[in-house]
């Protein structure tokens, strides 16, 4: 029985050192050839692509001119009243004015409001704090 099992196993494959060296040399030769071909194709591509600098500049300028400018208003719906208000130019101006006035008010509040708690402060400070909140 043991004799039969040994006969069923595949026999080990043996290579001579000369065979291994031939395979390694062939692979190295293919790698050198393919590397040289890749380098030549890259050089020829670069030469064909960048022959005229003025053409390249014109392509870049054309691409930049065609690029649409990002505007968040383009994503708002004009079907509702809120969308119409949000895209109106006056809304942007009013918002910027309120931000500027709030920053001035914060400076005034910091300098002149001595109360530790908002409820203890002068009614003007209380009202404007609630307004800007």
């Amino acid at each position: 029985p043991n004799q039969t099992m040994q006969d069923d196993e595949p026999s080990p494959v043996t290579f001579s050192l000369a065979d291994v060296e031939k395979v390694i040399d062939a692979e190295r030769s293919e790698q050198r050839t393919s590397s040289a071909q890749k380098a030549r194709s890259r050089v020829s591509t670069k030469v064909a692509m960048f022959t005229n600098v003025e053409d390249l500049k014109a392509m870049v300028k054309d691409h930049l001119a065609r690029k649409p400018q990002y505007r968040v208003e383009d994503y708002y719906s004009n079907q509702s009243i809120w969308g119409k208000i949000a895209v109106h130019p006056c809304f942007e101006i009013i918002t910027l004015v309120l931000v500027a006035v709030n920053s001035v008010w914060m400076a005034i509040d910091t300098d002149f409001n001595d109360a530790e708690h908002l409820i203890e402060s002068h009614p003007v400070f209380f009202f404007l704090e609630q307004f800007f909140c």
Side-chain angles (χ1 to χ4, degrees), residues 15-27:
F15 294 104
S16 69
L17 185 59
D19 292 337
V20 172
E21 288 177 349
K22 285 180 186 177
V23 171
I24 291 173
D25 288 341
E27 288 179 1

Side-chain angles (χ1 to χ4, degrees), residues 24-47:
I24 291 173
D25 288 341
E27 288 179 1
R28 286 183 182 161
S29 175
E30 286 178 19
Q31 287 176 352
R32 279 189 228 116
T33 305
S34 64
S35 297
Q37 288 173 347
K38 287 178 185 177
R40 279 193 294 273
S41 68
R42 273 183 269 166
V43 169
S44 65
T45 303
K46 286 182 182 178
V47 170

Side-chain angles (χ1 to χ4, degrees), residues 59-93:
M59 284 176 20
V60 170
K61 286 180 182 178
D62 182 50
H63 176 72
L64 292 175
R66 285 185 288 132
K67 185 178 178 182
Q69 193 170 20
Y70 176 79
R71 291 174 22 117
V72 74
E73 292 88 4
D74 295 339
Y75 298 102
Y76 293 154
S77 170
N78 287 332
Q79 303 299 322
S80 69
I81 185 70
W82 305 115
K84 291 177 183 176
I85 291 172
V87 298
H88 199 277
C90 289
F91 180 74
E92 182 178 1
I93 294 169

